[in-house]
């Protein structure tokens, strides 16, 4: 079979930089005090390695994105450092850096000098040193005090059967997806509904079928196809601390939910045959939220939408026209190709001002819920109350400072919300209006801020197939059906949290710490336990996933730990600390910044959706990318270097970099231990030639306190298998090395 153009290009790039070329660099005897110097002791190719490091970013290669760990360093730095530290310097010192750089993309696994070297990283963290050293053929050993880091690295270096891991993922999905799918199924634009199928009989269920009426076990006999929720937008409400008030106000700096620039096939400047005025014809309606009212900015050019039958109306005289051929083929004799363009349209989704007014904290039945400690019935009433005034508006064109509501004619300030300045909010109760500190008011309530849903981003496979703008995605207002689904999840979780799922969620209190009480005072926000970082539906999903992994029969421990590593990554994408990135149109996970900073508006992820960032399916895919990379690694080649080495070849590339494969898979056999680096009992009397590490630094960044977020979940499945690592309620902290501690000791 003939090679593709991309395959030929990859081979040419590899040949140009020497990727995969078998190399046998000379090393030194590190036990000899009078040994020759290594390249690292003479010179280092700082500029070219820095160039690659800048392209790589903090994570770069797929293996380092399988599971979260902090302060990951550029793998290119460690690969080159290991080569430089192990290689005897040439007689001419000026050639040392060149020798390292010329060897960077080579294959060193058959080099006996490298194979004999024993290299340790006693502060291994995320394992970059060990992975890169194993690729070079060295005998690697790593240690870290933190059990979460130990599991992360153990999984990165696992010699695991990818087929078995894939089967385990399938097993987990078969167990969990049917139980939770009714909570994420939804309605699509223009009344679109999904289809439930009874799997044993193949029968399509009618509109009167409600999967919420089934038990979780009965749902395993049904499958679903159709629109589903991929992201749920939640807003925290500030509880007014004024005496006798208690009104709850959404903590939003402005009413904007999301912004998007959509591209739609159009014909520009078409004259109307009736009034002769010109306008644009758009093949599909460019909408983020097709079912909500649309406000068109005055700056927008006149336009008309062509339907599937080719009909469109002049926006000036309203005369109807038809061009069926253009609707089908994209052009015709009338709508000539020269008029056709991909038109970009600015869209903004905002919350209606009626909802931003907030709601009371009580009704005729008593206190309303929505907080982390509220009972189910109170929260159900709260959810219903907040949905009763919820409306969304979509604005087309450059967002003006003010718009007129199409429903009541009221004026909306598009840049003003309920937060007059950072960490404050203004009570929206008509007779109050008190401006107050957010944290103080939440602390005075004795629990977390009440939250409620205010928008859903969903996906319709049929709209995607039909080519609508936004690729099948759409926003929708939370309606009664959505509230019913969420309330059902609350009920089921309340029942199962104390029965079959009781072992699969943490009850651990948040211990006093710098990151949790000083740098960010979590108790003042109402967070006293780790499970309060999640809403009830998220807790339900996580517990089901853990139970499915734990109960899976016939799978190896190695495969289960790989899937558990995926669960760790999913945790940071499915909690009530995730937030929306409007530039990327996706959520950002927890620990995007290294802290426990609570967010005022929060994004809940989906689970098994086929698209979206950070859901279970996405984390699963990233795990496989990492495992596959281990078997067939690649390294980054800067296009700037290609332009120097092979200008004609560089012209065929685009962007900043290409990939080259040295054909040096991550070799098994690395020793990975967990414990204090002051002891290293597992190493016995071994001698090491090199210690290559990135020791802890960074002032008061306590990784152990951050890692507890994952640890309290992981230990539920690992404490019996690894009691020496996971029996403790928290990660070990007394021996954690930090620059701040060293400074304080020096000051004494």
């Amino acid at each position: 079979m003939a090679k593709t153009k991309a395959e030929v290009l990859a081979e040419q790039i590899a040949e140009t930089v020497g990727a995969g070329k078998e190399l046998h660099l000379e090393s030194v005897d590190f036990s000899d005090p009078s040994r020759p110097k290594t390249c690292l002791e003479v010179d280092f190719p700082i500029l070219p390695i820095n160039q690659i490091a800048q392209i790589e970013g903090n994570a770069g290669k797929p293996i380092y994105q399988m599971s979260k760990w902090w302060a990951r360093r550029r793998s290119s730095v460690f690969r080159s450092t290991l080569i430089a530290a192990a290689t005897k310097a040439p007689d001419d010192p000026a050639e040392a850096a060149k020798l390292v750089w010329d060897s960077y993309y080579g294959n060193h696994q058959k080099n006996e000098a490298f194979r004999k070297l024993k290299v340790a990283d006693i502060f291994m963290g995320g394992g970059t040193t060990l992975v890169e050293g194993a690729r070079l053929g060295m005998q690697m050993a790593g240690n870290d005090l933190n059990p979460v880091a130990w599991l992360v690295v153990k999984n990165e270096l696992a010699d695991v059967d990818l087929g078995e891991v894939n089967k385990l993922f399938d097993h987990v999905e078969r167990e969990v997806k049917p139980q939770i799918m009714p909570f994420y199924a939804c309605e699509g634009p223009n009344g679109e509904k999904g289809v439930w199928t009874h799997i044993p009989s193949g029968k399509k269920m009618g509109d009167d079928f409600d999967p919420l009426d089934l038990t979780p076990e009965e749902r395993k006999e049904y499958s679903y196809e159709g629109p589903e929720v991929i992201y749920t937008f939640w807003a925290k409400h500030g509880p007014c601390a004024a005496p006798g008030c208690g009104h709850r106000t959404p903590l939003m700096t402005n009413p904007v939910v999301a912004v998007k620039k959509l591209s739609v096939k159009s014909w520009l400047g078409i004259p109307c045959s009736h009034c002769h005025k010109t306008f644009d014809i758009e093949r599909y309606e460019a909408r983020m939220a097709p079912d909500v009212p649309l406000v068109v900015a005055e700056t927008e050019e006149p336009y008309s939408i062509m339907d599937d039958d080719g009909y469109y109306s002049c926006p000036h005289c309203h005369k109807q026209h038809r061009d069926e051929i253009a609707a089908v083929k994209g052009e015709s004799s009338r709508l000539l190709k020269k008029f056709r363009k991909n038109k970009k349209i600015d869209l903004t989704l905002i919350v209606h001002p009626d909802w931003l007014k907030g709601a009371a904290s009580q009704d005729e039945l008593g206190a309303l819920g929505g907080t982390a400690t509220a009972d189910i019935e109170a929260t159900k009433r709260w959810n219903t109350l907040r949905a009763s005034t919820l409306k969304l508006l979509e604005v087309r064109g450059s967002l003006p400072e003010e718009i007129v509501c199409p429903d009541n004619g009221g004026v909306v300030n598009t840049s003003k919300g309920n937060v007059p300045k950072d960490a404050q909010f203004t009570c929206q109760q008509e007779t109050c209006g008190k401006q107050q500190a957010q944290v103080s008011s939440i602390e005075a309530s004795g629990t977390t801020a009440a939250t409620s849903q205010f928008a859903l981003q969903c996906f319709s496979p049929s709209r995607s197939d039909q080519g609508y703008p936004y690729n099948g995605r759409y926003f929708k207002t939370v309606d009664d059906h959505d509230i019913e689904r969420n309330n059902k999840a609350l009920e089921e979780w309340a029942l199962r949290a104390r029965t079959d799922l009781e072992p699969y969620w943490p009850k651990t209190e948040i211990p006093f710490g710098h990151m949790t009480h000083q740098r960010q005072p979590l108790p003042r926000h109402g967070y006293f336990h780790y499970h309060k970082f999640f809403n009830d539906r998220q807790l339900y999903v996580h517990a089901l996933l853990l139970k499915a992994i734990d109960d899976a029969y016939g799978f190896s421990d190695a495969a289960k730990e790989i899937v558990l590593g995926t669960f760790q990554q999913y945790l940071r994408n499915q909690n009530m600390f995730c937030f929306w990135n409007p530039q990327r149109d996706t959520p950002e996970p927890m620990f995007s910044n290294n802290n426990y900073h609570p967010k005022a508006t929060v994004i809940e992820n989906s689970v098994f959706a086929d698209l979206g960032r950070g859901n279970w399916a996405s984390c699963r895919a990233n795990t496989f990318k990492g495992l596959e990379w281990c078997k067939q690694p690649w390294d980054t080649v800067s296009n700037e270097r290609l332009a120097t080495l092979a200008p004609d070849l560089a012209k065929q590339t685009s962007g900043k970099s290409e990939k080259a494969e040295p054909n040096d898979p991550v070799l098994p056999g690395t020793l990975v231990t967990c414990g204090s680096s002051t002891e290293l009992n597992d190493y016995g009397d071994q001698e090491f030639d090199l210690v290559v590490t990135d020791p802890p630094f960074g002032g008061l960044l306590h990784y152990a306190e951050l890692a507890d977020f994952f640890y309290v979940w992981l230990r539920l499945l690992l404490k019996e298998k690894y009691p020496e690592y996971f029996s403790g309620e928290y990660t070990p902290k007394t021996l954690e090395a930090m620059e701040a501690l060293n400074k304080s000791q020096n000051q004494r």
Side-chain angles (χ1 to χ4, degrees):
M1 182 181 294
K3 295 179 180 178
T4 65
K5 184 177 179 180
E7 289 173 336
V8 172
L9 179 62
E11 288 181 354
Q12 292 175 335
I13 291 172
E15 184 177 354
T16 300
V17 299
K21 180 181 179 182
E22 186 176 315
L23 296 177
H24 295 270
L25 299 177
E26 186 179 357
S27 189
V28 300
D29 180 1
F30 287 96
S31 64
D32 181 1
S34 60
R35 63 169 175 81
K37 290 185 177 181
T38 65
C39 289
L40 186 61
E41 296 168 304
V42 175
D43 200 0
F44 186 78
I46 293 177
L47 292 179
I49 295 300
N50 184 56
Q51 185 181 57
I52 299 174
Q54 287 182 326
I55 296 172
E56 276 187 340
N58 284 325
K61 297 167 182 173
I63 188 172
Y64 305 119
Q65 301 180 44
M66 287 172 54
S67 295
K68 173 65 179 178
W69 192 254
W70 294 269
R72 287 189 182 272
R73 305 304 172 205
R74 273 63 164 173
S75 59
S76 55
V77 174
F78 280 89
R79 180 177 176 87
S80 54
T81 298
L82 285 162
I83 294 172
T87 303
K88 178 183 175 183
D91 294 335
D92 183 356
E95 295 293 315
K98 183 178 185 302
L99 177 60
V100 174
W101 180 228
D102 288 347
S103 307
Y104 181 82
Y105 296 101
N107 188 314
H108 303 267
Q109 292 191 348
K110 293 184 179 180
N111 182 359
E112 287 300 320
F114 277 17
R115 290 166 65 92
K116 293 177 181 178
L117 292 178
K118 290 186 175 183
V119 184
D121 183 349
I122 58 174
F123 299 103
M124 67 183 180
T128 308
T129 308
L130 305 184
V131 171
E132 298 303 324
R135 291 179 61 197
L136 294 171
M138 300 173 180
Q139 300 177 48
M140 304 300 297
N143 179 77
D144 201 278
L145 178 65
N146 198 292
V148 178
W150 172 82
L151 181 65
V152 167
V153 178
K154 186 173 183 290
N155 282 341
E156 289 172 350
L157 296 165
D159 186 17
V160 68
D161 182 345
L162 297 187
E164 182 191 14
V165 174
N166 199 40
K167 289 178 181 178
L168 179 53
F169 272 116
D170 288 343
H171 168 79
V172 171
E173 183 167 341
R174 283 194 303 270
E175 285 295 310
V176 177
K177 184 175 181 178
Q179 299 184 65
I180 64 171
M181 195 64 231
F183 309 138
Y184 296 95
C186 65
E187 291 70 37
N190 304 313
E192 179 191 358
K193 292 186 177 181
V195 177
W196 291 91
T197 302
H198 184 240
I199 298 173
S201 66
K203 178 183 178 182
K204 307 291 184 184
M205 310 308 291
D207 291 343
D208 58 344
F209 173 74
D210 188 352
L212 296 177
D213 292 336
L214 303 174
T215 67
E217 194 64 28
E218 289 172 339
R219 293 172 193 158
K220 294 180 181 180
E221 292 190 352
Y222 294 84
S223 63
Y224 174 80
E225 291 184 3
E228 62 180 297
V229 178
I230 52 178
Y231 303 125
T232 302
F233 288 62
W234 295 81
K236 290 182 179 178
H237 290 57
C240 183
C245 184
H247 188 85
R248 294 172 170 179
T249 298
L251 301 177
M252 298 181 70
T253 56
N254 59 61
V256 174
V257 178
V259 295
K260 189 69 179 177
K261 188 185 292 289
L262 294 182
S263 180
V264 60
K265 184 170 65 177
S266 307
W267 294 270
L268 307 183
I270 303 299
C272 173
S273 60
H274 184 258
C275 71
H276 307 296
K277 294 182 179 179
T278 61
F279 59 96
D280 297 342
I281 302 172
E282 297 169 8
R283 179 62 187 87
Y284 293 108
E285 186 178 29
R287 295 292 302 274
M288 280 199 295
D291 285 344
V292 310
L294 178 68
V295 177
V296 180
E298 295 180 356
T299 54
E300 282 294 274
E301 296 291 334
Y303 70 95
S304 180
I305 308 297
M306 178 184 290
D307 67 19
D308 291 340
D309 295 321
Y311 287 101
Y312 58 94
S313 298
C314 173
H316 304 287
C317 67
H318 308 296
K319 172 71 175 179
Q320 189 176 69
H321 304 275
R322 188 184 190 193
D323 196 321
E324 185 178 6
I325 297 176
V328 175
K329 296 184 177 181
E331 60 181 283
S332 69
S333 57
R334 182 169 183 275
L335 298 179
L336 299 176
K337 188 175 182 180
K338 67 177 182 179
F339 293 109
R340 197 177 74 195
K341 302 288 183 182
N342 283 328
K343 181 179 179 181
K344 295 187 180 299
I345 300 168
D346 291 314
L347 296 166
T348 307
L349 188 67
I350 65 173
V351 179
H352 196 283
D354 286 352
W355 190 82
L356 285 177
K357 294 176 182 177
S361 58
Q362 297 190 22
D363 62 9
E364 64 278 4
L365 297 178
L368 291 166
T371 68
T373 56
D375 66 72
I376 293 175
E377 292 305 318
T379 295
K380 288 166 64 175
R381 301 200 318 274
W382 166 253
N383 291 340
T384 300
L385 174 64
R386 290 309 284 134
S388 65
T389 59
L390 180 57
K391 290 174 282 188
L392 299 175
L393 302 172
E394 188 168 10
V395 181
R396 172 178 167 136
S398 298
L399 186 66
E401 186 70 20
E402 294 182 342
I403 63 169
V404 177
C405 280
D407 58 344
N408 58 19
V411 176
V412 180
N413 187 317
T414 60
S415 63
K416 184 179 179 181
N418 301 325
V419 179
K421 61 181 181 179
D422 286 348
Q424 300 277 316
F425 76 95
T426 303
C427 176
Q428 295 300 300
Q429 212 281 338
E430 292 183 359
T431 59
C432 182
K434 176 182 174 62
Q435 182 174 321
Q436 54 205 287
Q438 295 178 16
V439 175
S440 297
S441 67
I442 294 172
E443 182 180 26
S445 72
T447 184
T448 62
T451 60
S452 67
Q453 304 175 32
F454 65 93
L456 302 175
Q457 191 183 87
C458 312
F459 175 71
S460 166
S462 65
R463 286 179 67 84
S464 177
D465 293 342
Q466 294 173 56
Y468 282 96
Y470 212 11
N471 301 317
R473 293 195 189 201
Y474 62 95
F475 282 91
K476 73 182 293 288
T477 306
V478 178
D479 58 27
D480 291 342
H481 297 296
D482 302 310
I483 295 298
E484 180 185 3
R485 296 178 186 113
N486 186 61
N487 287 345
K488 183 64 174 179
L490 302 184
E491 294 173 357
E492 289 188 13
W493 170 242
L495 176 65
R496 300 185 68 181
R498 299 301 177 187
T499 54
D500 66 314
L501 296 181
E502 195 277 335
Y504 297 106
W505 60 281
K507 293 82 176 172
T508 316
E509 291 186 14
I510 302 171
F512 180 86
H514 172 71
M515 302 299 294
T516 55
H517 289 68
Q518 295 175 327
R519 186 166 179 172
Q520 187 56 249
L522 291 177
R524 296 192 66 194
H525 292 268
Y527 297 111
F528 298 94
H529 296 78
Y530 285 104
H531 69 269
K532 299 302 183 184
F533 291 168
F534 308 85
N535 66 37
D536 284 359
R537 183 163 60 183
Q538 292 172 328
L539 288 171
Y540 194 5
V541 168
H542 293 328
L544 285 170
L545 289 170
L546 277 186
K547 186 177 189 299
I549 297 169
D550 193 31
D551 289 348
Y553 177 76
F555 294 94
S556 67
D557 289 340
K560 285 190 174 185
E561 288 168 12
I562 291 291
V563 178
L564 195 57
T566 301
F567 175 81
Q568 180 216 347
Q569 189 73 337
Y570 183 53
L571 278 175
R572 67 184 294 248
N573 288 279
Q574 181 67 302
N575 58 74
M576 295 298 277
F577 281 62
C578 298
F579 59 98
W580 191 247
N581 183 334
Q583 286 72 38
R584 297 185 60 172
D585 198 30
T586 61
E588 291 293 338
M590 187 169 185
F591 299 131
S592 296
N593 293 316
N594 297 324
N595 55 48
Y596 281 112
H597 179 57
K599 309 300 187 296
T601 54
V602 183
I603 308 302
E604 176 186 355
N605 217 321
S606 63
V607 190
F608 297 106
D610 289 332
L611 86 167
R613 183 189 187 201
N615 57 33
W616 179 259
S618 173
C619 293
R620 170 182 176 170
N622 285 340
T623 293
F624 268 94
K625 289 178 183 177
L627 295 174
E628 290 166 351
W629 182 92
C630 286
K631 297 182 182 300
Q632 192 171 1
W634 49 260
D635 283 292
T636 302
V637 180
S638 73
N639 283 343
E640 187 175 331
R641 185 187 187 201
L642 283 179
T644 301
L645 297 176
D648 292 339
L649 181 61
K651 292 177 182 178
Q652 303 177 49
T653 65
S654 60
K656 294 182 178 180
S657 65
E658 300 296 328
K659 297 173 182 176
E661 297 181 359
N663 298 316
D664 54 355
V666 177
L667 298 178
T670 295
L671 173 64
V672 181
T673 59
C674 182
S676 171
S677 294
T678 62
E679 298 175 356
L680 299 175
N681 294 329
D682 291 329
Y683 292 77
D685 57 357
Q686 289 189 65
E687 293 183 356
F688 289 90
D689 299 293
L690 293 167
V691 175
V692 179
T693 190
D694 178 21
F697 76 100
L700 290 173
L701 190 59
H702 300 220
Y703 294 139
E705 292 180 10
L706 299 178
D708 278 338
F709 173 81
F710 301 117
Y711 177 84
V712 296
W713 286 91
L714 297 174
R715 73 179 293 267
L716 299 175
L717 263 60
L718 297 175
K719 59 186 176 183
E720 293 183 4
K721 183 181 179 186
Y722 303 110
E724 67 275 31
Y725 302 157
F726 288 92
S727 60
E729 197 169 13
Y730 310 103
T731 61
K733 300 177 177 62
T734 56
L735 294 173
E736 185 180 25
M738 292 176 296
E739 180 184 338
L741 295 181
N742 294 333
K743 282 183 178 178
S744 64
Q745 291 169 354
N746 291 336
Q747 289 170 353
R748 293 196 192 103

